[in-house]
Amino acid sequence: MATGESIIRHDAVAKVTGRAEYTQDLYKSRMLVAKYLRSTIAHGRVTDIDVSAARSLPGVAAVFTFKDVPRQPFATAGHPMSLDSSHRDVADRRLLTGDIRFMGDEIAVVVAEDELIAGNALKQIRVTCTPFPVLIHPVDILDPNARQIHEGSANRVGEHGWRFGADIESAMDHADHVVEDSFETAMVQHCHLENHVVFAYMDDLDRIVIVTSTQIPHIVRRIVGEALDFPLSRIKVIKPYIGGGFGNKQDVIFEPMAAFLTLHLNGRPVAIHMTREEEMIGTRVRHPFHIRVKTGVMKDGTLAARDVDAIAVTGAYASHGHSVAAAGGGKIGCLYPHTPTRYHAQTLYANLPAAGAMRAYGSPQIMYALECATEDAARAITMDSVEFRLKNIVRQGDIDPLSQKTIHTCGLAECLIRGRDMIGWQSKKKKYAAYKTGPVRRGLGVACFSYASGTYPVCVEIASVRLSLNQDGTVHIMAGATEIGQGSDTVIAQMAAHTLGISHEHVRVIQAQDTDVTPFDTGAYASRQAYVSSNAVFRASVRLKEHILNHAARMTGMHSDLLDIEADHIVASDTRTPVLDLKTLALDTCYHKTRGGQLTAEISHKTTTSAPVFGCTFADIEVDIPLCKITLRQIVNVHDSGIILNPVQARGQVHGGVAMGIGATLSEEFLIDSGTGRVFNGNLLDYKFPTFMDTPPVDADFIETREPSSGYGNKALGEPPVISPPPAIRNALLDATGVPVNRLPITPEVLFKAFTTHGLIRPGRTGHV
Amino acid sequence: MFDIQSYMKAGSVDEAVALLAAHPNARLVAGGTDVLIRLRHGSRDFTRLVDIHGLAELRFISLDPLQNIRIGSGTVFTDLAQSDLILRHLPVLADAAGSVGGPQIRNMATIGGNICNGAPSADSAPALFALNALLELKSNRGFRQVPVADFYLGPSVVDLKPGEVLVSIIIPREAYQGYAGHYYKYAMRKAMDIATIGCAVSLKTSGNRLADYRIAYGVAGPTPLRCPSAEKTAVNQMISDTLVSKIAAAVEDDVSPRTSWRATREFRLHIISELARKVTRTALDRVRKE
């Protein structure tokens, strides 16, 4: 039983001892560094650029401007390619630009012997620009007279809508109560530990090698080929250890430039690494959303109808385009399939940093608004928040009204009941009734979510593995699944060990990936890797086991049907007594002069399901009204992510996701000057993500359903824990104070304004009620 | 990558003084937690460095024969936060020291650097203001002493003259004996943060009255500051909730916070006032516990 055990992740020791080699640990001699010249205005056009002084500086190898790079635009989103050209990502980016679309846009690049020289050279470049009015707010962006940030776009990247269930307008008319409000989420950033870093060189006259911190090596290979019009097979992408991505590295941002530079510098190695300040504005962020939700509710607690209208802001470039708003809305049907619902969304360009993929891809925004609105509906009929949800949520066997697929596994009701017990809902509700007045108040909140285990049927879901029996009877796996810290290498080893009957210590997934030899997979995103890989690993492991038993049959003269593998031995399947040890067998496969051969099994499998996953957050908070501060007392997250392959890793995902959710709830946001488009706080002092000290006790638990579409019963878990903490905490604040705060983050200053508006504090008169 | 043009390691305070005299463009570096950040941002002011980090003669916490507490400028915040002498006699400073950055920063950053950096948000500054601390500076012209409140000339400008080294910080006996105090850092998170508002109170009671009361703030104006009108309101008054409210109202006349993208003036004023209440109450609780 290798799955279901809390084994130590296979890369743990290498990482904690500092031996694991990340991109920046790898070095090529004579490596140059490239630094971007970034715009100091948010919207404009370069009318003149003079790089002659920079070019002549000693130590400068080259300077390229937007005039020197390929003209054809390319799409950067790390999606699988769509064979349907109408579903392709928007190609709106060039390597460098003279059309400035956000403050920090990349106009030129200097390549020099070191960073200091490059930095000095950047200061020598003279740029003249024509500025245009900065477009930040949807009302300005959509003004018919507004300048088109991308010509021909009308400042819209995409728009769509759908509806399911009974007639919404009439259901609203017949509802006992209708609650309606607007919600806003902030532009936040992934803040993975390792910044974007890439270097490229040519190891032959016509081959480019790219070493990069990416979630999607095979897609990097394709997009670099597209951007440079260079044959894909002559591009090799190497992925070393990765220090986190959270979606920001599901985008091909700097690899095309690194490849372009080495190509133009005679194959000399060129590195691009972001400073943290550049990382924050110059990579990707989470789309801020403006969401209006109207909810009709009956006195008996039935959700009668829902109407959701969302505007997502993608910033200067499409990146993942409208997919984020589409994916976020697409999860509503799986959560409340019985409630007639209408959804409409549009995604707008703006003169802001480009938004792309970030953990849970639109769901944190949509589920936040939806679960705040659900709470408001429950309160409108004074029904208990948990009972209200239990009455309306999805159950196992329901049909997803959008995909029309049956939901085969759903433990959401059990999650809510378990979470309610874990937080002590009933007893605290009574106790906290005494904390609804005075300066320090307490409250409880709940929110739930649904998510998916991949992107099918929107995108292909392909996973590939190659298993080979080593000479010593151990197994190595080359997997297309990209380990970026989430633990996929470890659980893939557990899966194979489970099916093969080999101890997990004897199964190892090759960590570093190289697109020349690593089997094809589209990469780490959509919480898909363990789910889609399970189907490939299971099939490949069954096949390798057959090969092993067939060889054992040849060696022993016994029929392979009578043999099995257990604890690294060939055993008789009836008596379980060892017949042969795997090492002896492995040596025989390699060195016997006539029989057998190296035993391998390779499977590439397309999964045509995307099992919905579910979960909920319970929050217990204390609010200091005069100090405008929320203290989190306890957070409980309960997930239905199918069978849990590795409980300690799973809990780690939940703890990390909850911490990220807490940041989005209480403190994280890009503070933007609406006049200039400048991000005031693009650094880790002023952008406040929570520290260890700010994170309360987090209790994680799981309702283990067995998902039939997965090789090992498992479903997605990587992204989901981030989704429901924000609405749960907002709902707890409402419970504690009666004040609805319908925007994220709920910072002390936001609380100050809300408490002032609601008369809980009276500034200038030093006091509070 | 830092653009360091010259680096000289001083073996003693005298050597540091001599090096500064010989190299007028050089600047001191101790823990480096401010200087290296400026260098990383490309500052040209710190490319020539005289390093006084780790000098034993600057790292001490002691009682002198007159019962004044002397703190070496090179004392790191971890030492201050854990020192029995500081915890016993200057809890307001122990609170402040423990609120700086995180453990790694507190292991490197020095109290002298915190003051000489001149930031209005320096956590140690309000505590030292509330303790009437004196600074002792040395140059090749000799020693001089200056009250900490006079050392701050403006935003990020301090009265550190060319060639001077801040050697020690002196808390006079009469400024702390019989006093209780507290420092509270109001920030957006519980560690690794810059103060939105910092508030220090040092007070002495006599029966039911406040015999003495000092209150100081960080980030409530261009420099750390004391609140003379609030202090006047408090001294010799009967201790009561009403008095605490009066103090909380009076501090608003002493401060001049500004609106920035970090926080509005209205919000800062509200917090300044609430902190007067909170910090004074905690300091009074500490009196009662003794």
Side-chain angles (χ1 to χ4, degrees):
Chain A
M1 273 299 284
T3 57
E5 288 177 35
S6 286
I7 67 163
I8 294 173
R9 50 183 300 146
H10 281 178
D11 55 7
V13 174
K15 282 181 170 170
V16 301
T17 56
R19 289 172 193 228
E21 288 190 318
Y22 295 79
T23 303
Q24 223 167 350
D25 295 319
L26 304 169
Y27 178 80
K28 299 294 286 181
S29 61
R30 300 185 68 241
M31 187 138 78
L32 297 163
V33 294
K35 284 200 91 62
Y36 284 102
L37 179 76
R38 295 183 176 279
S39 72
T40 54
I41 60 170
H43 197 189
R45 178 169 288 150
V46 179
T47 52
D48 191 38
I49 182 161
D50 179 2
V51 298
S52 52
R55 233 172 226 153
S56 63
L57 214 64
V60 171
V63 180
F64 298 92
T65 77
F66 63 93
K67 296 173 182 170
D68 307 318
V69 297
R71 294 215 62 81
Q72 85 274 12
F74 59 97
T76 64
H79 286 140
M81 193 179 82
S82 176
L83 296 179
D84 174 357
S85 58
S86 68
H87 278 111
R88 297 235 172 109
D89 290 303
V90 179
D92 63 3
R93 193 128 200 184
R94 295 174 61 215
L95 290 178
L96 297 165
T97 183
D99 288 307
I100 296 163
R101 300 184 173 100
F102 75 102
M103 192 178 288
D105 218 341
E106 296 148 1
I107 299 170
V109 67
V110 167
V111 190
E113 300 287 342
D114 67 41
E115 279 174 53
L116 289 177
I117 297 170
N120 287 335
L122 289 178
K123 289 178 197 149
Q124 307 284 321
I125 299 176
R126 296 286 161 259
V127 183
T128 315
C129 299
T130 306
F132 305 127
V134 175
L135 300 171
I136 288 179
H137 299 293
V139 60
D140 300 324
I141 297 165
L142 291 173
D143 185 317
N145 297 318
R147 185 174 184 272
Q148 296 193 17
I149 295 169
H150 289 269
E151 211 176 311
S153 69
N155 290 337
R156 261 195 198 83
V157 183
E159 181 171 12
H160 84 301
W162 47 252
R163 57 167 66 211
F164 65 76
D167 182 61
I168 285 142
E169 288 73 14
S170 124
M172 286 288 182
D173 287 345
H174 291 96
D176 292 325
H177 292 271
V178 174
V179 291
E180 183 170 8
D181 230 321
S182 292
F183 301 88
E184 278 184 39
T185 66
M187 181 179 282
V188 297
Q189 224 231 358
H190 319 66
C191 297
H192 36 76
L193 209 53
E194 182 199 30
N195 288 333
H196 276 79
V197 51
V198 53
F199 63 88
Y201 57 97
M202 298 181 74
D203 66 350
D204 202 340
L205 291 178
D206 60 353
R207 291 179 53 83
I208 301 172
V209 182
I210 302 169
V211 183
T212 181
S213 180
T214 182
Q215 299 176 215
I216 45 167
H218 281 285
I219 290 181
V220 168
R221 190 186 207 191
R222 172 174 60 81
I223 292 179
V224 170
E226 286 169 4
L228 304 185
D229 196 18
F230 194 84
L232 177 147
S233 59
R234 289 200 263 127
I235 299 166
K236 168 187 172 108
V237 177
I238 294 173
K239 177 215 73 104
Y241 281 95
I242 304 295
F246 304 114
N248 202 7
K249 294 171 184 170
Q250 191 207 343
D251 219 308
V252 183
I253 306 181
F254 303 112
E255 292 92 347
M257 176 57 87
F260 170 85
L261 293 174
T262 192
L263 204 53
H264 286 78
L265 289 163
N266 202 25
R268 212 170 146 181
V270 181
I272 303 174
H273 46 253
M274 291 297 103
T275 62
R276 181 61 71 176
E277 291 86 344
E278 283 182 289
E279 181 77 26
M280 296 199 72
I281 54 126
T283 60
R284 298 291 178 264
V285 296
R286 192 190 287 287
H287 295 68
F289 273 53
H290 306 259
I291 309 165
R292 192 188 54 75
V293 186
K294 187 174 174 186
T295 307
V297 61
M298 309 307 288
K299 281 179 194 152
D300 71 350
T302 307
L303 276 169
R306 189 100 76 167
D307 191 355
V308 180
D309 202 306
I311 293 178
V313 179
T314 195
Y317 294 95
S319 176
H320 283 247
H322 190 54
S323 312
V324 172
K331 309 301 188 294
I332 297 173
C334 268
L335 186 56
Y336 294 109
H338 309 293
T339 307
T341 301
R342 187 191 78 95
Y343 179 73
H344 170 258
Q346 51 185 327
T347 300
L348 309 182
Y349 282 119
N351 295 124
L352 292 169
M358 183 171 168
R359 195 176 196 167
Y361 210 79
S363 284
Q365 297 96 317
I366 295 296
M367 289 292 158
Y368 158 72
L370 196 73
E371 282 299 275
C372 292
T374 301
E375 184 67 24
D376 295 349
R379 282 170 187 268
I381 55 161
T382 60
M383 189 164 172
D384 176 81
S385 309
V386 182
E387 291 299 334
F388 184 68
R389 284 173 175 80
L390 285 171
K391 189 170 172 68
N392 289 288
I393 54 162
V394 59
R395 301 289 170 142
Q396 191 157 303
D398 281 346
I399 309 260
D400 173 355
L402 292 170
S403 70
Q404 293 301 320
K405 302 247 194 240
T406 301
I407 296 165
H408 293 293
T409 52
C410 174
L412 180 56
E414 295 82 352
C415 288
L416 281 165
I417 291 162
R418 172 92 49 97
R420 179 168 67 183
D421 289 345
M422 288 169 71
I423 200 107
W425 182 266
Q426 311 289 11
S427 62
K428 281 180 182 166
K429 275 274 165 193
K430 287 195 193 96
K431 196 174 153 201
Y432 290 179
Y435 285 87
K436 305 300 183 200
T437 55
V440 177
R441 304 186 188 183
R442 286 187 185 174
L444 295 177
V446 60
C448 41
F449 72 87
S450 66
Y451 200 64
S453 297
T455 62
Y456 189 83
V458 178
C459 297
V460 68
E461 283 299 354
I462 181 169
S464 313
V465 289
R466 185 183 304 137
L467 274 57
S468 50
L469 186 69
N470 292 321
Q471 298 174 53
D472 61 355
T474 64
V475 171
H476 271 179
I477 302 178
M478 299 186 76
T482 307
E483 170 67 73
I484 61 164
Q486 82 277 42
S488 62
D489 281 359
T490 304
V491 295
I492 285 172
Q494 286 180 268
M495 292 175 195
H498 184 96
T499 301
L500 285 165
I502 299 177
S503 55
H504 73 83
E505 295 92 337
H506 291 168
V507 181
R508 190 100 193 159
V509 176
I510 306 305
Q511 200 280 327
Q513 293 187 321
D514 173 339
T515 52
D516 277 3
V517 290
T518 300
F520 187 81
D521 184 299
T522 49
Y525 56 84
S527 303
R528 60 187 286 277
Q529 298 271 226
Y531 176 70
V532 298
S533 295
S534 72
N535 289 318
V537 175
F538 176 74
R539 286 164 174 78
S541 301
V542 166
R543 184 176 293 177
L544 181 64
K545 186 173 174 182
E546 275 172 25
H547 292 335
I548 292 170
L549 294 181
N550 285 338
H551 195 83
R554 284 197 229 175
M555 287 175 72
T556 59
M558 294 169 74
H559 196 280
S560 64
D561 287 353
L562 303 175
L563 296 171
D564 200 355
I565 311 175
E566 187 177 309
D568 306 308
H569 283 77
I570 310 297
V571 298
S573 44
D574 50 357
T575 61
R576 314 308 288 177
T577 48
V579 175
L580 190 61
D581 71 277
L582 264 179
K583 185 176 177 181
T584 305
L585 179 139
L587 287 170
D588 197 83
T589 64
C590 292
Y591 296 112
H592 189 281
K593 286 181 182 164
T594 56
R595 70 184 171 209
Q598 190 190 7
L599 300 186
T600 63
E602 179 158 357
I603 292 285
S604 184
H605 182 84
K606 288 182 178 172
T607 294
T608 54
T609 50
S610 176
V613 299
F614 306 94
C616 58
T617 299
F618 284 81
D620 173 359
I621 73 166
E622 183 168 281
V623 187
D624 186 322
I625 289 172
L627 285 187
C628 307
K629 283 214 161 185
I630 292 173
T631 302
L632 304 175
R633 292 168 47 79
Q634 188 187 4
I635 298 281
V636 171
N637 257 45
V638 189
H639 292 264
D640 164 17
S641 287
I643 296 293
I644 298 302
L645 301 169
N646 184 321
V648 73
Q649 279 198 181
R651 279 194 289 275
Q653 282 286 18
V654 177
H655 282 243
V658 167
M660 211 170 203
I662 289 170
T665 313
L666 297 182
S667 57
E668 291 185 42
E669 65 181 318
F670 273 25
L671 295 166
I672 295 157
D673 181 355
S674 58
T676 64
R678 181 178 158 227
V679 175
F680 286 123
N681 61 336
N683 63 68
L684 292 190
L685 173 62
D686 294 311
Y687 180 90
K688 316 279 186 184
F689 60 67
T691 70
F692 185 80
M693 304 280 289
D694 302 290
T695 311
V698 175
D699 294 316
D701 208 349
F702 303 97
I703 300 294
E704 292 192 72
T705 57
R706 181 171 288 279
E707 171 57 36
S709 65
S710 155
Y712 299 86
N714 56 299
K715 300 193 282 185
L717 180 62
E719 298 163 281
V722 79
I723 301 172
S724 48
I729 295 167
R730 177 271 188 189
N731 293 341
L733 173 68
L734 178 64
D735 185 52
T737 63
V739 177
V741 178
N742 294 339
R743 60 93 77 189
L744 294 176
I746 310 169
T747 61
E749 180 123 22
V750 167
L751 285 176
F752 171 67
K753 286 176 185 144
F755 291 160
T756 305
T757 305
H758 286 81
L760 295 185
I761 50 182
R762 298 192 197 99
R765 291 168 57 187
T766 62
H768 52 83
V769 293
Chain B
M1 211 171 179
F2 299 134
D3 189 10
I4 295 174
Q5 298 294 316
S6 73
Y7 169 86
M8 294 161 279
K9 174 82 185 165
S12 66
V13 173
D14 286 342
E15 202 172 296
V17 165
L19 284 168
L20 288 175
H23 304 276
N25 292 328
R27 300 287 295 267
L28 292 171
V29 60
T33 56
D34 284 309
V35 169
L36 292 185
I37 288 167
R38 291 186 191 212
L39 269 170
R40 184 176 173 277
H41 289 169
S43 165
R44 303 298 302 166
D45 296 341
F46 290 86
T47 57
R48 296 174 191 284
L49 298 174
V50 171
D51 185 0
I52 53 169
H53 181 65
L55 287 184
E57 63 179 307
L58 290 179
R59 190 169 173 174
F60 59 85
I61 302 166
S62 62
L63 263 183
D64 74 12
L66 299 172
Q67 301 274 295
N68 302 316
I69 294 175
R70 302 180 76 93
I71 299 163
S73 64
T75 306
V76 299
F77 287 112
T78 300
D79 291 352
L80 285 165
Q82 295 174 357
S83 153
D84 288 340
L85 196 67
I86 302 294
L87 285 164
R88 189 161 62 240
H89 296 298
L90 310 176
V92 60
L93 185 58
D95 292 340
S99 76
V100 174
Q104 295 91 336
I105 297 291
R106 292 196 290 272
N107 284 340
M108 290 300 289
T110 65
I111 187 167
N114 200 220
I115 296 304
C116 291
N117 190 46
S121 55
D123 288 308
S124 65
L128 294 180
F129 273 57
L131 288 167
N132 284 339
L134 299 169
L135 307 182
E136 192 166 68
L137 301 121
K138 189 177 189 185
S139 68
N140 58 2
R141 300 176 294 279
F143 281 99
R144 73 177 174 115
Q145 275 194 0
V146 54
V148 67
D150 296 344
F151 190 63
Y152 279 83
L153 302 177
S156 298
V157 184
V158 292
D159 185 23
L160 183 71
K161 296 192 167 38
E164 274 188 336
V165 178
L166 171 60
V167 178
S168 59
I169 295 151
I170 302 157
I171 317 297
R173 181 184 59 81
E174 62 278 11
Y176 74 86
Q177 275 192 357
Y179 283 77
H182 179 47
Y183 173 78
Y184 185 84
K185 174 177 183 165
Y186 189 90
M188 294 299 115
R189 55 187 174 198
K190 290 179 182 155
M192 302 296 291
D193 209 350
I194 185 172
T196 307
I197 299 290
C199 177
V201 165
S202 192
L203 57 81
K204 187 155 77 170
T205 60
S206 169
N208 288 333
R209 285 178 188 279
L210 270 182
D212 196 10
Y213 180 81
R214 306 184 209 119
I215 181 165
Y217 284 95
V219 212
T223 66
L225 51 83
R226 283 273 290 272
C227 297
S229 64
E231 293 178 7
K232 208 173 140 198
T233 305
V235 172
N236 285 325
Q237 300 302 307
M238 291 287 288
I239 298 165
S240 67
D241 283 349
T242 315
L243 179 63
V244 174
S245 290
K246 277 185 185 165
I247 295 169
V251 289
E252 295 197 12
D253 297 332
D254 294 311
V255 296
S256 53
R258 65 187 183 105
T259 291
S260 76
W261 56 264
R262 288 194 171 97
T264 60
R265 172 182 159 80
E266 293 71 29
F267 175 60
R268 286 189 203 271
L269 269 178
H270 170 75
I271 295 302
I272 284 166
S273 184
E274 285 300 331
L275 290 189
R277 202 187 298 274
K278 179 183 173 69
V279 177
T280 302
R281 280 189 186 135
T282 304
L284 286 169
D285 287 345
R286 284 181 174 175
V287 175
R288 287 184 202 111
K289 277 179 192 148
E290 274 171 12

